[in-house]
Amino acid sequence: MNVNQHTPMAPPYGQPQPGYGQPGYGQPNYAPLDGGYPAPYAPHNGPASAYHPGIPQQGYSSFTSFPSKAMAANPISDPCSPLDLGPARGPPTSGPPPVQAAPQYNQHSSGDIQNGPPPVTQAPPRPPASMQYNQGGVNMSAQQPSFPQHYGPPPTMHQVTNQMTGMHISSGPPTPAGPGYAPPPSSQPPTSSHYGGTPQPSYSQSHPPASSAPSQPPPSSAPAVSQQYYPSSAPPSQQPFNSLPPTSQQRFVSPVQPQQTFPPSSSSSYSGPAPPPTHTSSAPVTQPQQPFLPPQPPFSSAPSGQPPAFTAGPPPPTQGSFPLQAPPPSSQPGSFPPPGPPPSSVASGQYPSSMPPPPQQQPPQSQPPPFHPGPPPPQSQMPPTSIGQSNHQPPGPQGPPSPTGPLQQPPLQQGMPTGYPPQHNGAFGQVRSPQPGYGGPYPGQPNYGAPAPAPQAQKRLDPDAIPSPQASDMPPVQKSRHRIDPDAIPSPIQVIEDDKAKTNEPFTTGVRGQAPPLVTTNFQVKDQGNASPRFVRCTAYNMPCTADMAKQSQVPLAAVIKPLATLPPDETPPYVVDHGEGGPIRCNRCKAYMCPYMQFIEGGRRFQCSFCSCVTEVPPHYFQHLDHTGKRVDCYDRPELSLGSYEFLATVDYCKNNKIPQPPAFIFLIDVSYNAVKSGLVSIICQELKSLLDHLPRENPEIDSVIRVGFVTYNKVLHFYNVKASLAQPQMLVVSDVSDMFVPLLDGFLVNVNESRQVIESLLDQIPEMFADTRETETVFGPVIQAGLEALKAADCAGKLFVFHTSLPIAEAPGKLKNREDKKLIGTDKEKSLFQPQAGFYNNLAKECVTQGCCVDLFLFPNQYVDVATLGVVPVSTGGSIYKYTYFQAQSDQERFLNDLRRDIQKPVGFDAVMRVRTSTGIRATDFYGSFFMNNTTDVELAGLDCDKAITVEFKHDDKLSEETGALMQCAVLYTSCSGQRRLRIHNMAVNCCSQLADLYRNCETDTIINFLSKYAFRGVLNNPTKAVRDTLVNQCAQILACYRKNCASPSSAGQLILPECMKLLPVYLNCVLKSDVLLPGADVSLDDRAYLRQLISCMDVAETHVFFYPRLLPLVKLESGALPVAVRDSEERLSKGGVYLLETGLHLFLWVGASVQQELLLNIFGTPSFGQIDSSMTSLPVLENPFSQRLREIIESFRAQRSRYMKLVVVKQEDRAELMFKHFLVEDKSASGGASYVDFLCHMHKEIRQLLS
Amino acid sequence: MATFAEYIAQNEERDGIRFSWNVWPSSRLEATRMVVPVGALFTPLKERMDLPPIQYEPVLCSRATCRAVLNPLCQVDYRAKLWACNFCYQRNQFPPSYAGISEVNQPAELLPHFSTIEYVVQRGPQMPLVFLYVVDTCMDDEDLQALKDSLQMSLSLLPPTTLVGLITFGRMVQVHELGCQGISKSYVFRGTKDLSAKQLQEMLGLAKPSAGQNRGPQGAAPPPTNRFLQPVQKIDMSMMDLLSGLQRDPWPVTQGKRPLRSLGVAMSIAVGLLECTFPNAGARIMTFIGGPATQGPGMVVGDELKTPIRSWHDIEKDNAKFMKKATKHFESLANRAAANGHIIDIYACALDQTGLLEMKCCPNHTGGYMVMADSFNTALFNQTFQKVFSKDVQGSFRMAFSGTLEVKEIGTGGTSQWKICGLDPSTTLALYFEIVNQHNAPIPQGGRGAIQFVTQYQHSSGQRRIRVTTTARNWADAQTQIQSIAASFDQEAAAVLMARLAVYRAETEEGPDVLRWLDRQLIRLCQKFGDYHKDDPNSFRFSETFSLYPQCSTTVQTRASYYRHHFNRQDLTQALIMIQPVLYAYSFNGPPEPVLLDSSSILPDRILLMDTFFQILIYHGETVAQWRKAGYQNMPEYANFQKLLDAPQD
């Protein structure tokens, strides 16, 4: 892209921008521009027209899922929202100016976008999106026929691409889009049109050849065509694009190229700053759109608000980005044409198509003609047609190189098609508003298309053929779509690195509504009145004041609470406060606990509750005078008056049955059936327990743990052990009447480790021997938990069961299960039943366990189906954990298991907990996700709560909130500490409230949103077909983004995908959720695996879900102590054959070795000079005395230390069989199970958004 | 008279049998008119020093419905080598092994003084004895310690091949696996749930022939053992450890509660365990309890101390809510045990009642012992328990297992069979015969009625043995020979027989009715055999043979089931003691002498000793007591007093 664009673009852009600015700004201007464009485009269009149609359609089709609206895709990040779209738009408007713009763009794009956080995000994301979208859009564009003209479609494309590229690059593209676009955006359609345009351009190119096709394009061929198009179209498109698309591409390119510096800018976006200026300048240029600009500024500012980056571009960024885009387009045309077009074109094409169609159509027409707009017109129809055309054409004309380009375009076209059959390209992009104008400009841009498209396009397109769903159509299309440059879409890595870079001082929690650094960033927290983000993270730190707003935005309002989170050593754990015999001071009415938000009045004699406003007397012993500001004099001496998190000592009133609790107990229940013995499991457990028992949780390391332990082994009968200290030998008590479980002994079952050490060791030594010859293969499970439960009941204490289990419990007993694994049900409406427990037995049992405070941790070692969905009911309901070691083999899995076990036993844990979340009047905690049980709607009951468990709480309005007071929440967890003390842990959190949606969008945290959405979805599969769940997710996200686009983003062409800065990664992460094994299982994913993951996710905190859904992939090149190498994105493209990479997901750890890896690396890591000699079955690296090896092992260890579960190291050699498994985690790529690639998904998302907006 | 008395004594000495009438009325009607039925008290295993077991098997009558054993009363044709069954008159060939038979070379069973003879069955495996201890752990430490000591002692008394098993119970029931290395194992069952033998078999892992656990077939048929029942010689050490390691039931007993004692389930499991491992082999379940069952099947009282255990009053008022269920439970256990030839003993030691009423059928139906004492830490229990393991001169236990008594009669009712799981030399059965001859029918051929008792049992050595007792009595026409019949009345035997009948009726009918019935029977007897003159109460006179009977008859008022149990099994002398305690007087005036059961027997200078079978009371006369208080017994010059004091205790 860059290349293409650059060369051509640069110059053009620079120039164009000015032009753009003018044209771009006012749509009117655009119009003119368009007019201008048209001319340029026209020519291009001619060719391009083919593009658009082709592209969009293909794009969409490719995206199958998206297909419908392929159009939408482009959008990218918010601030720069314009991103993809932007390009599209940009191009058109800027079309002519593009040239100048382009150059500027590059800068701008990067600059604006980058500047503002938006730039980066926006720009990059969008472009890609646009790219994809374009494709989608293209089809859409069909509608846009008119657009073509507007289109500047090409430009849009370009922009998109630009953005895409730029995006990454930084918002570059967006900016372009922004400024230039923005204006157009206002005319939204234009944006879309832009896209359309862009795509179209590409199409046009392709089309041109296709042009002949155009006739074909007509609906009929559409579908098939679209597919074909993609592939075929791609090429053609490229060519055509080159002429037309090029522009779009060019833009991209240009951005890219410039970006190259910039693009990279995504990261470079920062570099952006510099560019911003340009942008700004460009913006101005675009300014013609100024009208838009103004709006944008705000937005931008808003978005930028967050990122200082904006400074330069802040306002501009968002808007700027737009403008930029606009300019870029223009500029892009020049630069883009080559690179941008293809990808962008694709994306934009689609988008535009959808968006632009109507308005643009006319203009498009002008364009269309050039493009094959004719065909694309109606999206559906169009696409096909366009596709058909594109396909036809592309293949032929463009030839191989173009193919990619064409492909992308095709998708775009698809989108387009619907809109504007004839005008495809132009129509699409421009379709909406700008089109006319754009059309003009774009046409002019044709140049772009010609030059840039082919090359870049291919690159971009290639990455993902993608159009996910509609595989059938896909094939051809997909490839074509590839053209969207992955570098141009929002990059998680970039965002993560940016956040790291800007976080260089401790995060203080005193400021209400301030979003904390990302979970991927290391930072210190200073508690100044709100709970640390380690305890509480919110999806939004600025909540909408009203339910209507909340509903409109669809942004989930939730908090992820990890009440007992472990803090790093340099942070103080919560202080324990003792309010004496009367217990903690609380509000009389709502029972909220004393906290910094309570207002003392009447000289300190009373306090007013900030949650419910009730006034409560201050008890005499708690009285304190107030200072002149109305604060208590002792405010800073009391944690509960100055901190966000602290603990109260609970009085006996807070204890079950009003009795001080007994110290808790741990009971180990070990399966000793044939499988367990044979795999060596029993010996391993027994051996390990001997040393582990010295590490039971304790609060004071000086004192022995008060936790008592007990032991049970079982197969189809249970063996209890009397390990009373006074015995010479342990006694075994067999209970074979499992139908009605009971505990055969009381005294001597639960013992103090130190007192009974000898007996226990004797027991653990003998257990493996006793069962060494067992031939019993059947097991029970229900009675095992009942046994532990009864034991705790008998001892009248809370506690935890550690169950080590191997097989489906088929022995005759309560809770007996049958094998119900039926893969045929997958994908049907009955699939959900597989996630539900087989019978009510375990639900009832879980309830009993919770009542007793009996937490169950389940370690599974299955060799076949064990029905995790059912066995997991009790652990999940009791705050326990499930660990699963499929095909456990002592040698290779021992380490992982033992480390998990050690950690599980040693980790801080509370028992018999009840969590209650209180909130300000006006909002209410309505739903809870995690491992717990609820008897009513407010109390979260956790038999056990350990430091790794998070609970996600969803809030809903039941009244209005006030901006002044914000929204408060207080999470109180009453629990029994591991030393047997009853306590209350309090976490307070205050967030702002807003009456402007923009404020909401500026203060969201995508990682937390994803945490919520994934839990929401994973619970949803219990009751809904997974397909429906996925659709719901996509829909909700589309609504979130569409709402932003509609209400917050500066006006821009509809073809632009504009994403809020804070949510620019929402599509990529959401895609990861959609592709997860739970929602979209591959053929090799067992039902147990899915159930396991489902339950696992339910209690993950934000950091865990983040790395789980978007794994960390580190290139191991130079390893310096102290710093980790910068991660790369999860895509195969990013892997170098000559490199070695480390990938971690929180559950898995892979070391990927490229086939042509440098010998030195091999020697350093494996101590062997040959790739062939690497033993891929190793689970730990050889200990070599070289810095590299040492550092690498350090890194691995540090990764493991960060996660709650031990990650077994798997060495994957490139092109080895195991690589498939590894590739599963390259989440930006298309997945084997049919999951869309990032690019495709972005296109799809854009399409959805556009549909919502239209 | 003398002849009859001698005859009776001789018969009892030789055959262990006493008839109420030694001359039988010849028809049913006449028999009915006799008031006291024709019955016998038979002691199947009466100890006979002079009875060497015969090492071959009995010769049986070939008639399938008869199968009587060759006996001295049979007619034998030595030349034809034929014998005629005296019950069915079938003529039978002697088996080949009797070829050398002749008038001078008679086999033992034809010798008249071998009217009782014992054969040793050679066929079949020699089954080991099985002793299964069922031990309550809900008792205070002192009691438990004493019990543990007793049990350990008993182990040393068992023949080495005896299989032993241990079940303990409290709140739970534990079946201990024996001979484990290292960790001791036991199977635990909750005390509130009854299990069938089949369930138990599965739960104990006995379903698959415990072959897995049984190793070393050291011969053709190794004694079948399993993890729970093993030869004492092999596991005595671990059994000792197990017993010494027994702890008081660890489940907490809150104030105001009784410990939860799962007696019913424990016994059920014991019965079930033997049922599925050693059916029809000699086995003894020895149950030691320290209180009533308080939970699960068989519970006789709840665990609330404030609710007392049912009293007779409650029972009469049908107010004992657990009784019926509990009785039913134990009855079914008793029946199962009896069906498998297993004995259930109950040793109940507690100050309070232990619910023997509900459990009585267990020992009753299976020939087990029932022992009641105040504590396991008493001599009473100790010595009684030791006595259980006493041995005869051959070193065998004075007990037999899994017996079957078969009675063949002529002229009466044919053949009947009873199963008696546990027998000891004093076990005495009361058999009531019915004369089936029609009135006026001729006296049966031969003028004598013969009865053959065939008792098959498992000797404590493991051998199966058959003891055959054949006896005969004359028939007499009651109308014409009433005198001779009256003369043949054995009043002691009759008293016991009637008492047992009364007890039986008492258990099945209402108490007052039984007393009335007894009175009526006595009156009828008097009418029949008494001489009196109308309207002259003083003229009433009984023949000597009847003189004791009325007195005994009126004292049959024992009510507690414990007493009834013993009454039903003890031999005649003991039964008589039970009916009428014996009072001995010790004084300086002469040797101890029996005195009347009357307050007139109390004299200041006498020491009275009353033996009621169950208890021995020593009563020191007023003077004696003063002497004792004064401490005379400690002064050398009064050594004679010391002796006097000691005398009764010897």
Side-chain angles (χ1 to χ4, degrees), chain A residues 732-734 736 739-740 743, chain B residues 174 184 186 188 190 193 203:
Chain A
M732 177 204 253
L733 301 167
V734 184
S736 41
S739 61
D740 190 9
V743 188
Chain B
Q174 275 175 271
S184 66
S186 58
V188 188
R190 74 188 321 165
K193 186 175 166 188
M203 290 179 182

Side-chain angles (χ1 to χ4, degrees), chain B residues 283-286 341-345 366-369 400-402 421-423:
Chain B
R284 181 153 219 128
I285 296 169
M286 308 181 88
H342 301 145
I343 306 164
I344 301 177
D345 292 343
T366 63
Y369 298 117
F401 301 85
S402 196
C421 301
L423 293 168

Side-chain angles (χ1 to χ4, degrees), chain B residues 324-380:
Chain B
K324 274 187 186 155
K325 262 180 113 175
T327 307
K328 203 174 161 201
H329 173 74
F330 288 112
E331 259 173 17
S332 79
L333 286 185
N335 291 335
R336 281 166 59 190
N340 287 291
H342 301 145
I343 306 164
I344 301 177
D345 292 343
I346 293 178
Y347 303 86
C349 293
L351 290 171
D352 197 1
Q353 299 190 66
T354 54
L356 286 182
L357 170 65
E358 286 84 354
M359 292 186 287
K360 64 172 188 276
C361 48
C362 290
N364 284 356
H365 291 198
T366 63
Y369 298 117
M370 196 192 277
V371 174
M372 191 167 82
D374 289 345
S375 157
F376 287 106
N377 199 16
T378 56
L380 172 61

Side-chain angles (χ1 to χ4, degrees), chain A residues 729-737 739-747 763 766 770, chain B residues 172 174 181-190 193 195 203-204 208 247 250-252:
Chain A
Q729 280 282 355
Q731 293 175 351
M732 177 204 253
L733 301 167
V734 184
V735 173
S736 41
D737 181 7
S739 61
D740 190 9
M741 204 56 216
F742 63 94
V743 188
L745 78 170
L746 182 61
D747 188 28
L763 171 68
Q766 290 184 64
M770 278 193 294
Chain B
M172 308 287 170
Q174 275 175 271
Q181 302 297 318
I183 294 181
S184 66
K185 297 180 194 168
S186 58
Y187 283 68
V188 188
F189 299 87
R190 74 188 321 165
K193 186 175 166 188
L195 299 166
M203 290 179 182
L204 291 180
K208 299 148 201 156
Q247 306 265 325
W251 294 86

Side-chain angles (χ1 to χ4, degrees), chain A residues 296-488:
Chain A
Q296 293 175 347
F299 290 94
S300 62
S301 66
S304 65
Q306 300 174 340
F310 284 74
T311 58
T318 49
Q319 298 177 346
S321 65
F322 293 73
L324 289 180
Q325 292 177 344
S330 62
S331 65
Q332 290 175 349
S335 62
F336 288 122
S344 65
S345 66
V346 178
S348 63
Q350 296 176 343
Y351 294 95
S353 66
S354 63
M355 303 290 288
Q360 294 177 343
Q361 289 181 348
Q362 296 175 348
Q365 293 178 346
S366 65
Q367 293 178 346
F371 290 85
H372 295 290
Q379 293 180 341
S380 64
Q381 297 176 343
M382 295 301 287
T385 56
S386 65
I387 296 171
Q389 297 175 347
S390 64
N391 291 339
H392 298 297
Q393 297 175 348
Q398 295 176 345
S402 59
T404 56
L407 291 178
Q408 292 180 342
Q409 296 173 346
L412 295 175
Q413 291 177 347
Q414 293 180 342
M416 305 290 287
T418 56
Y420 314 60
Q423 305 167 346
H424 296 306
N425 301 336
F428 294 66
Q430 302 172 344
V431 173
R432 297 185 178 173
S433 60
Q435 293 177 346
Y438 283 98
Y442 275 113
Q445 294 178 350
N447 302 333
Y448 299 2
Q456 292 180 346
Q458 293 177 345
K459 290 181 184 176
R460 297 174 184 174
L461 296 176
D462 296 345
D464 322 317
I466 343 284
S468 47
Q470 309 168 343
S472 61
D473 297 347
M474 316 304 294
V477 176
Q478 295 176 345
K479 292 181 182 175
S480 56
R481 296 182 182 172
H482 296 300
R483 298 187 181 171
I484 298 176
D485 183 353
D487 278 337

